[in-house]
């Protein structure tokens, strides 16, 4: 079952922060985050596992709330290079059999 | 080498043609994937190979036929496609983990147009 992402699109000025949410009505085992720039392949950002901790780098991090079956991706002090479509991918168990991408959030960072 | 390569980059075919898409990786990954992506939509999983065996077939029509001849190569054979099959076809690879799906490395894709 496909997860839900919000917002569908967001426009930022360089240096602003953004939060992208991914949620499911089913219990989740893992949440994956990818970014896809226009005309390019998706690029992996991070995986969050059930029972795991918040992950990320200095300016891009994510959390996973197991009780709410929701993950949030935090983009801090956005850069022009952050523009693209962000997809979360979810799994309901650890058998690797039901990975599915969400519909995506289109992020545009303007100078 | 952390690259997944796909050939051809673009393919135009008629509904009666037979063609193949190719994907190659040399990262030692034992899981390989085919995705279909329509414009402004997420990648949609089609097939997964794990240790060269087909482990997932997401109810894909038989006009798409995958093949994994060895651990580095993945093919997608196309026959009698429909115009609605026009899309970007993405290949990906990953390590096989005991627990769930690992980080996937995607190739640049093949842009397929069916006339």
């Amino acid at each position: 079952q496909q997860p839900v992402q919000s917002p569908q699109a967001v426009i930022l000025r360089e240096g602003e922060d953004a939060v992208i949410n991914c949620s499911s009505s089913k219990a989740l085992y893992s949440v994956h985050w990818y970014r896809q720039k226009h005309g390019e392949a998706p690029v992996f950002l991070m995986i969050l596992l059930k029972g795991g901790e918040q992950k990320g780098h200095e300016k891009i991090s994510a959390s996973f709330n197991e009780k709410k079956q929701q993950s949030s991706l935090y983009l801090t002090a956005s850069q022009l290079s952050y523009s693209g479509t962000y997809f979360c991918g979810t799994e309901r168990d650890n058998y690797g059999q039901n990975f599915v991408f969400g519909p995506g959030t289109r992020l545009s960072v303007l100078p | 080498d952390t690259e997944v390569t796909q050939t051809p980059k673009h393919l135009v075919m008629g509904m009666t043609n037979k063609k193949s898409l190719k994907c190659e990786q040399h990262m030692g990954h034992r899981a390989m994937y085919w995705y279909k992506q329509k414009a402004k939509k997420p990648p949609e999983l089609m097939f997964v190979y794990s240790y060269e065996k087909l482990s997932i077939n997401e109810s894909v029509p038989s006009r798409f036929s995958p093949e994994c001849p060895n651990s580095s190569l993945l093919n997608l054979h196309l026959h009698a496609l429909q115009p609605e099959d026009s899309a970007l076809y993405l290949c990906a690879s990953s390590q096989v983990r005991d627990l769930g799906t690992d980080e996937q490395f995607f190739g640049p894709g093949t842009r397929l147009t069916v006339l």
Side-chain angles (χ1 to χ4, degrees), chain A residues 2 29-30 32 34 36 39-44 47 49 87 91 93-99 101-104 106, chain B residues 35 37 40-45 48 55-56 58 88 90 97-109 111:
Chain A
Q2 188 182 52
Y29 169 74
S30 70
H32 304 219
Y34 286 80
Q36 186 175 29
E40 298 181 11
V43 174
F44 173 80
I47 294 176
L49 300 178
F87 294 104
E91 291 184 292
D93 54 49
N94 60 359
Y95 299 120
Q97 296 288 312
N98 51 51
F99 183 83
F101 279 108
R106 194 173 314 117
Chain B
Y35 288 89
Q37 187 175 28
K40 298 190 178 182
K41 296 291 185 182
E44 188 181 324
L45 187 63
V48 182
S55 63
I56 296 177
E58 293 287 357
L88 180 68
L90 291 163
R97 294 194 316 164
D98 288 338
L99 302 175
T101 300
D102 203 2
E103 168 187 357
Q104 296 177 58
F105 291 78
F106 283 84
R111 177 78 58 189

Side-chain angles (χ1 to χ4, degrees), chain B residues 11-22:
Chain B
L11 179 63
V12 179
M13 60 186 291
M15 289 190 283
T16 58
N17 292 159
K18 281 186 181 181
K19 296 286 184 183
S20 297
L21 309 184
K22 294 185 187 303

